Amino acid sequence: MNKLTPPGVSSSYVFSTPESSTPMATNCTDYEPSRIEAHWREYWDRNGTFRAPDNSDKPKYYVLDMFPYPSGAGLHIGHPEGYTASDILSRYKRGRGFNVLHPMGWDAFGLPTEQYAIKTGTHPSETNARNIVNFRAQIKRLGFSYDWSREIDTTDPGYYRWTQWIFLQLFKRGLAYVDERPVWWCPELKTVLANEEVIDGRSERGDHPVERRNLRQWVLRITAYADRLLEDLKSLDWPDSTKRQQEAWIGRSEGAEIEFPVADTENETLKVFTTRPDTLFGATYMVVAPEHPAVRNIVTPEYREAVDRYVRQATQKSDLERTDLAKEKSGVFTGAHAINPINESRIPIWVADYVLISYGTGAIMAVPAHDERDYEFATTFDIPVIQVIQNPGAPAEERDQPPYTGPGKLINSGSFSALDSDEAARRITERLAEEGRGRATVQYRLRDWLFSRQRFWGEPFPVVWIPEEDYDRLEPHLRPEQPVHYRSEGRGWYAAALDESQLPLELPEVESYQPSGTGESPLANESAWVDVWYDTRTGATIAATEPKPDGDRWISARRETNTMPQWAGSCWYHLRYLDPHNDQAPVDPKLFEYWGTPDYYIGGAEHAVLHLLYARFWHKFLHDIGVVTDPEPFKKLFHQGIILGEDGEKMSKSRGNVVNPDSVIEEHGADSLRAYLMFLGPLEAMKPWKSQGIEGIVRFLKKVWREVIDREGNRQGKIVDGEETDSQTLRLLHETIKKVGEDIEALRLNTAISQMMIFVNHIQKTDTVSLDTARTLVRLLAPFAPHLAEELWERLGGSPSVDHAPWPEYDPARLESETVKVVFQVNGKFRGDALVAKSADQDAVLATAREQDRVAAHLDGKNIRKVIYVPGKILNIVAT
RNA sequence: GCCCGGAUGGCGGAAUGGUAGACGCUGCGGACUUAAAAUCCGCUGGCCGUAAGGCCGUGGGGGUUCGAGUCCCCCUCCGGGCACCA
């Protein structure tokens, strides 16, 4: 019926009648990217071409980009790399009949904006708004098919209201608490820095030295999810390296907790964690971390001075100094001894900074014969080494050379001797458990998440601090499962929840963004905001500057002045896109039911553990409280590689090798930039930019243009109506449909473009090409160069948008041919080829091969020993 | 130190165990042009050869196989992650 459609190509293209509608394409005669791109960008905007309707019978497909921090520096070339890949996938999936959700937004809380505010006094929201306008314009210039009606901004109170809401749920369920912790303090910047803002002991911004200070911090109990975060990794389709990084970060290890009584004390004991309870008989000393609270209690008078001095020194060292492996082990004896619970032997207790207070119990049993660190320490301080495991593998002369850290048979271990270490570990743990002196446990390297920052530009915490004497009056729904309490200057305070109706708790206007210098956020100076009357029954607040309302349920309270870290907003943004304007819930469950979690998540590998772990944690929590029905947020993840400067070095202002997307677009057009970014190499690879290289892509797009549009701006005369008649063209077309589709699905976008180049090079050499072939080519090109494709699509009689036209199907029958090329080898070396009938058998092919002079020459004087024939591929003659 | 990933022409890269170098850049030669640009055509891994063709060649060394860039073992270099986690 539809004669315009080549066999196997879907036939439901809709064509407009040019006379009855205003012309929508430009009238360019040459390929003029700037005109064409501006024209179609405007068309898409006006028509809402990429709106993703919530009510659709189509299956959904959700493609998510990691949203950017809208910095004042503008778009970096790395942004459009990932964004182009996801856009190609989105446009392809639309062609495949999916209702595609492809949103964009702004991760806009952040340090640079605040630093700018400190310097200039400009409100961060003002700077932010300006940066977003700039970023949005830059992103739009690339022609991405985002549904801009779903744009979100983490600093918008309408958004962070729900970030605060999620925090409240965490708080109420006992997953948020406060703790006094050492944090990085930068005296020069007069502020606390997050771990990720400290590089090698200096501030990321300004390169100033930083030091440790103890401050009261909010902490999220991510460790409660450690097991699930680890276990569920297995189900994710993520790059292996990223999964491994998360696995290592969580760092699960199985072992035992063992209690060592301290000799000559009432009932002081030291609890240790070990993964090797089988080596317990080899414990010749113990070590406690300098910060360990037991140090003060166990140290004997004659050692007190030395221990005090050592502890003081250790705590003053930076983490960097303490973890410097090159340095010698240090430590001091406490004068105290512990009793090994398995054999009652008396062993000395030392303090040493190679034991960390933050892991396990902050104390270890040291087994120098079977642990490298303990061995190094023991040899430094002349502590005995007792071998308890025999190395089964090594040659005899090395066998008993300590330290041996592998498994083996136990020796010198009483009734446990001769057992294998695995078995012994189990039995020794059992024995200790029976006696109440130990138990099997699991430890994680993962620490609870330090969640507060002493900054202005972040989400305020939706809690107040109330005096401890008022806590009894607090209604249960405003209390967390575990009370959150701290003492300061002789007074005790409890944290109490704001009522949800109080959200969003907005940032106040402040006089100065300058940190107070005491380790508090600038908010601490704003007493008009900080001091409130708090309703212990409803969780409502009013400013303390107002008269206190009647009734004894109102009490005086102080707001929390820390703010949340930048990671908070990005922990759940993938959900907000589904329902960006909802003021009743973070996301409507009905909309979640339809859209679900992203089907594809594309972004940089630099967030392998931070954002991707935090977001999994929050998502699992939201799953637990019934907000979402799916326990994982990102099932399929892809990391785009880094683009280096032309010199092969990382792009940086100081090197002067930065490529600015805007100037590339100005020079060559957005379509060329998009296609070139994809053509550079495999998406996941690190690869250098070459400004000359883009010329090849520009030539390719120009070539496509000229194959379709002649110099007068009309359709090329060589394009003829009707089916494709040239069988070679048809086969190559179907090969191209197949390869481009498969390559897009696997994000092999460089080879997809190569294939289209091969095809265009081919039709350039033909005298005629059918209209359907031309349309199919344009359809395939559309995800890569959407502006050009829209233009050509319409000028070939198609109706915009090309994005809504169905993706062509290839016909497997068209890929077959009667004859196949078989390669001839003699002894594995290429000696010619020939086209043979597909049905030809080995003998026939061998005969053909032997007729060739070149093959014959290499067989001359030899006997054929063997012939290997892979039908349709290769014939290898083994001859000697 | 441990754990990953990688190494292919002058360059970016392509190759289900089956013609290594697709596609593109660069370079060279040619067509068109008064000329240039643009465009088009041809060549472009090394060595030998007028050519046909031959030999060598995917970081280095071994192995498996009729056949290895691809699989296995050892080594070198580069990139990334972790780093006293008991």
Side-chain angles (χ1 to χ4, degrees), chain A residues 572-616:
Chain A
W572 69 285
Y573 77 117
H574 56 286
L575 298 173
R576 191 59 175 175
Y577 284 129
L578 313 189
D579 198 6
H581 310 295
N582 191 338
D583 60 4
Q584 300 299 311
V587 57
D588 180 342
K590 282 204 184 63
L591 288 171
F592 182 81
E593 196 184 328
Y594 176 65
W595 289 114
T597 53
D599 294 280
Y600 226 118
Y601 191 27
I602 299 182
E606 66 274 18
H607 297 119
V609 281
L610 296 166
H611 158 61
L612 287 168
L613 192 67
Y614 297 153
R616 291 182 63 217

Side-chain angles (χ1 to χ4, degrees), chain A residues 512-549:
Chain A
S512 157
Y513 305 96
Q514 190 72 38
S516 65
T518 58
E520 288 185 285
S521 106
L523 293 177
N525 301 330
E526 300 301 310
S527 59
W529 181 82
V530 171
D531 298 316
V532 292
W533 302 114
Y534 176 72
D535 185 339
T536 52
R537 213 170 77 192
T538 66
T541 57
I542 58 172
T545 48
E546 303 286 318
K548 178 174 187 273

Side-chain angles (χ1 to χ4, degrees), chain A residues 10 55 68 73 248 309 445 468 490 535 610 615 648:
Chain A
S10 185
N55 308 303
R309 198 180 321 120
R445 212 188 70 115
E468 60 189 345
D535 185 339
L610 296 166

Side-chain angles (χ1 to χ4, degrees), chain A residues 276 278-285 354 364-379 383-392 398-413:
Chain A
R276 294 295 301 272
D278 51 315
T279 62
L280 183 51
F281 284 87
T284 55
Y285 64 101
Y354 81 95
I364 63 159
M365 65 178 211
V367 185
H370 305 291
D371 182 283
E372 284 169 20
R373 298 151 301 184
D374 296 345
Y375 183 76
E376 192 191 329
F377 191 85
T379 41
I383 299 170
V385 177
I386 300 175
Q387 189 194 359
V388 291
I389 305 282
Q390 224 161 16
N391 180 354
E398 298 171 22
R399 185 171 299 162
D400 300 323
Q401 193 57 45
Y404 170 66
T405 58
K409 273 211 190 334
L410 267 70
I411 54 171
N412 302 329
S413 296

Side-chain angles (χ1 to χ4, degrees), chain A residues 835-856:
Chain A
L835 285 174
V836 302
K838 207 164 56 181
S839 56
D841 63 6
Q842 179 177 317
D843 290 344
V845 177
L846 181 59
T848 310
R850 298 189 70 167
E851 280 164 23
Q852 293 198 352
D853 293 346
R854 196 172 160 193
V855 174

